[in-house]
Amino acid sequence: MKTELKFDDTGLIPAVVQDAHSGRVLMLAYMNEESLTQTITTGQTWFYSRSRGELWHKGATSGHIQTVKRIDYDCDGDALLLQVEQTGGACHTGAVTCFYRTLSEVEAVEKSQFLSELERIIAERKVNMPQNSYVAKLFAGGLDRILKKVGEEAGEVIIAAKNEDRNELIYESGDLFFHLLVLLAQKDIAVSEVMAELARRHQPVVVTSQEDV
């Protein structure tokens, strides 16, 4: 397979890393033949650092490892696409993805993509901490402040449900979802990790013997 790949004059090939569950691009790095072999052998991503001139194991220090699910290469054989399960944030800043800054913004975000967009915005606020940002103030207040808000919003959801007010329940659920996303970002947990856990719980049970029934 590797004979079909085209490494550049320095022996490197770009590797785009994508979340296997959400499809979101997490980072761009470079591999040489040795790091690609290590990735295939260990099942975790290894890259080549152009600045340090050495291999590096993603997450070896931070614990934010990437478990490889699939490796594809493009039609020209000069780029790789890795689908991974990401533990924690992919970016060295702690953000979920390295692509948390926006150069230009599409006016309307598809509703189906808005959860990922909201996750990106929260990650950006955590890194840049802009003034007058409500999210930045939550992060500045630390874990206890965020937990307090999650608790308050959960209570509001319960009250709305008991009041049999559909619109109020939708509104308060939105608040709860939002503050839960902030909590996940505070703890460096990606939404895709939660989705992976839900998917794991709903995998079909395979009966292998009469004793399993």
Side-chain angles (χ1 to χ4, degrees), residues 84-135:
V84 305
E85 285 187 350
Q86 174 71 53
T87 300
C91 184
H92 73 282
T93 63
V96 173
T97 171
C98 293
F99 297 93
Y100 60 82
R101 294 181 291 184
T102 301
L103 183 62
S104 62
E105 202 160 351
V106 178
E107 290 186 3
V109 178
E110 293 290 336
K111 291 180 181 179
S112 61
Q113 300 176 349
F114 186 70
L115 186 61
S116 293
E117 175 67 7
L118 186 55
E119 184 183 25
R120 182 195 67 77
I121 293 171
I122 291 171
E124 182 180 20
R125 299 293 188 271
K126 182 182 179 183
V127 173
N128 297 327
M129 297 293 282
Q131 291 184 350
N132 302 321
S133 164
Y134 172 69
V135 175

Side-chain angles (χ1 to χ4, degrees), residues 25-80:
V25 174
L26 300 176
M27 58 184 285
L28 170 67
Y30 290 84
M31 289 183 166
N32 61 9
E33 287 199 43
E34 185 179 357
S35 65
L36 177 56
T37 298
Q38 282 283 80
T39 297
I40 294 172
T41 301
T42 65
Q44 295 181 357
T45 54
W46 287 73
F47 302 105
Y48 182 83
S49 171
R50 294 177 296 171
S51 60
R52 299 193 304 271
E54 62 182 14
L55 298 189
W56 59 284
H57 178 198
K58 173 65 178 172
T61 302
S62 65
H64 295 176
I65 61 171
Q66 295 172 340
T67 302
V68 179
K69 295 299 179 182
R70 182 187 175 107
I71 303 178
D72 295 314
Y73 55 99
D74 71 346
C75 56
D76 296 321
D78 58 3
L80 298 173

Side-chain angles (χ1 to χ4, degrees), residues 3-17:
T3 58
E4 301 176 14
L5 298 179
K6 298 176 183 176
F7 295 84
D8 66 16
D9 293 339
T10 62
L12 300 179
I13 188 170
V16 177
V17 182

Side-chain angles (χ1 to χ4, degrees), residues 172-199:
E172 297 298 346
S173 295
D175 280 348
L176 178 57
F177 278 154
F178 174 80
H179 288 90
L180 182 57
L181 287 175
V182 175
L183 174 59
L184 292 176
Q186 173 71 9
K187 303 300 289 185
D188 293 326
I189 298 174
V191 172
S192 60
E193 292 181 77
V194 179
M195 296 298 101
E197 170 60 20
L198 291 174

